[in-house]
Structure formats: C-alpha cells, structure tokens
Amino acid sequence: MDKVALRFLLRERRALITPESHGLSRPTRQGRRAPGLSQAQIDQLLHRAPDTYGRLESGRYPNPPVDLLQDVARLLGMNEQEWIALWRYALGQDPPHPLNSASGEEVPGVWQEALAGISHMAYVNDRSWNLLAHNVHFAAMFPGRRVPTNTMRWMAVEPEARKVLCNWETAWAPLVLPQLRAALAADPDDQTLAQIEKEVLADPVASRVYESASAYIHPDGDERPLNHAELGPGWVTMCAAEPMAAPGARMIILVFHPGEHRRHARIRPLRARTEG
C-alpha cells in the first residue's frame, strides 16, 4: 500500500465533488475549509459505517473490499487510469476488470491520424475486436481492400481469412481462438464475443481448435505466415499495445516481409543498457 499516493488521489478526487450535487449541504463546522464532499458525507452516500471512507483515505484500511473501491471510484467520478491507480495504491495490484462496462469501446479520435502516419499495416480495435480505425496499408492486406468490421470474427470463421492467413489451422487458429476464450471468461456478458463464439462452435474446424484452446492470450512479438492480397506470400510480425484511455482495446502494427523465410530469429530483443 502506498498511503501517501492513495491519500493524495482520493483527496484530489473528493475535492471535485460538490455536496450540493448530491443533495447535501456544505459542512459549516469551524475549521473545515476543504472543498468538496466530507469523509462523513461519502460514508453517508455509500451507506457505510462511520469512518469507513476515512480509514481508506488515510491508509488505515488494509485489504479494502472490491465493492468499496468500486463504489468510491464511481462516486468520485474516476476514469479508468485513476481506477487502476486506486487499486495499485490500496492493494498493490491491478483491478480484475474495468470500472465501467463501456470501457474499451472507444479511443481518442487522434488515433486515426496516428495510424495514417505509420508505414506498416496498423489498426486499432475495441475490447470486442470491433475495428475502430486503420490505415491504408492495413486495408491493402485484404482482397479487394474489403476490411472486416470485426477482426476476431474474420480471423475465426470467415473462409476468406483461411486463404489470407497461411496455415490457418496450425499457425493462426491455435493462437487466435484462445484470445476469444480468455476475453469471454473475463466478460461473459459481451454479446459481440458471445455471438462470435456461437459461430466458432458451429464451424467443425474452428470448434475443434477452440475446444482445445491453450492459455495463449496476446500476439505481441508473434511472427506468422500471411498471404498479402497485393504483396503476395510472406511473414508478418505483430506489435501489440493497449491505448491507455481504453483498457481492453488494442493497437496492432503488422510488420510484413515478403518471401518464404521468417525473420524472427534474427531480431534481437530491445533492452535498456545498464551502467557499470
């Protein structure tokens, strides 16, 4: 627990919430000049015992329960990054789920401009693999430049994908389908992913791979064979990152090298130099 950082975060957020916005009056007792809700008012609004919130803010509450952290974060209007910080400061770990169910469904609009400036194939999808933005190099990968609306569905069940993604059954499906399974385990209520799972289970080949899915859940650094619609056969290396404002969303950069030979073994990992 980082008591100093936790206290600063909660005090800062609490100061931005006016009592009047919740039908309460501003405390007038002598000596209190702090803006925003009082600690006692937060206990009142959350229907908690007196000094529950005070113990949390002061760092006197070891291992606070998930529901308390969630209620406090929502009352104080925290964004996803503040929610992550709350967990790290209070419990020393990342939260098991986003604060808001809609998190990961949108990214700042400037991402489209950023993708346009990348010379490799690049795109951003939301937490359900719905395509949010892409560049022209990514579109060129598909026959007729017909870009799919959901990249997971395209990779998992579209017949066209099994021509573009070389050795689909051995090089792609065993690595793609576990990501679907892991995402559904984390959010069983995601209707988009649930529908894709139904289509996968109805596909004899995809269902067989899906039922034996491994624990693989991310593509960062992978190199796989790909039949580019305009550049022909080659190998694509994937760089994956998560937009900070949208937990669960991903930016994928696809570095394509034409030809039969893979390059991964010749690329050294990047590591900061240490002195001495």
Side-chain angles (χ1 to χ4, degrees), residues 167-271:
N167 304 328
W168 177 87
E169 191 171 346
T170 56
W172 287 87
L175 303 176
V176 168
L177 295 177
Q179 296 177 59
L180 172 63
R181 192 157 199 161
L184 269 172
D187 187 2
D189 296 325
D190 189 311
Q191 295 302 307
T192 298
L193 299 183
Q195 177 58 38
I196 296 173
E197 183 187 48
K198 288 181 180 179
E199 295 182 53
V200 167
L201 294 175
D203 183 298
V205 180
S207 63
R208 184 174 65 251
V209 178
Y210 186 74
E211 293 294 353
S212 60
S214 68
Y216 183 92
I217 58 173
H218 76 80
D220 194 31
D222 280 3
E223 188 173 27
R224 302 178 197 165
L226 183 138
N227 187 22
H228 194 288
E230 298 180 11
L231 301 178
W235 291 82
V236 65
T237 305
M238 284 169 275
C239 301
E242 181 180 271
M244 298 296 289
R250 282 180 178 173
M251 179 190 72
I252 307 291
I253 299 175
L254 305 170
V255 182
F256 181 76
H257 296 284
E260 298 181 358
H261 303 290
R262 59 193 308 170
R263 296 166 52 91
H264 185 71
R266 299 201 299 268
I267 301 177
R268 301 177 62 180
L270 304 178
R271 179 178 298 176

Side-chain angles (χ1 to χ4, degrees), residues 93-110:
Q93 63 188 63
D94 285 349
H97 55 74
L99 177 61
N100 300 303
S101 60
S103 175
E105 293 182 354
E106 63 179 33
V107 296
V110 70

Side-chain angles (χ1 to χ4, degrees), residues 118-166:
I118 297 175
S119 60
H120 298 291
M121 298 180 284
Y123 68 96
V124 173
N125 59 243
D126 68 12
R127 63 192 180 115
S128 303
W129 279 272
N130 293 309
L131 191 65
L132 300 180
H134 65 277
N135 62 14
V136 294
H137 308 294
F138 180 67
M141 184 184 92
F142 301 91
R145 300 203 171 196
R146 295 183 298 271
V147 180
T149 58
N150 185 287
T151 56
M152 174 56 73
R153 184 185 181 280
W154 183 82
M155 291 187 292
V157 299
E158 280 292 332
E160 180 183 83
R162 300 179 192 187
K163 298 177 182 178
V164 175
L165 309 178
C166 299

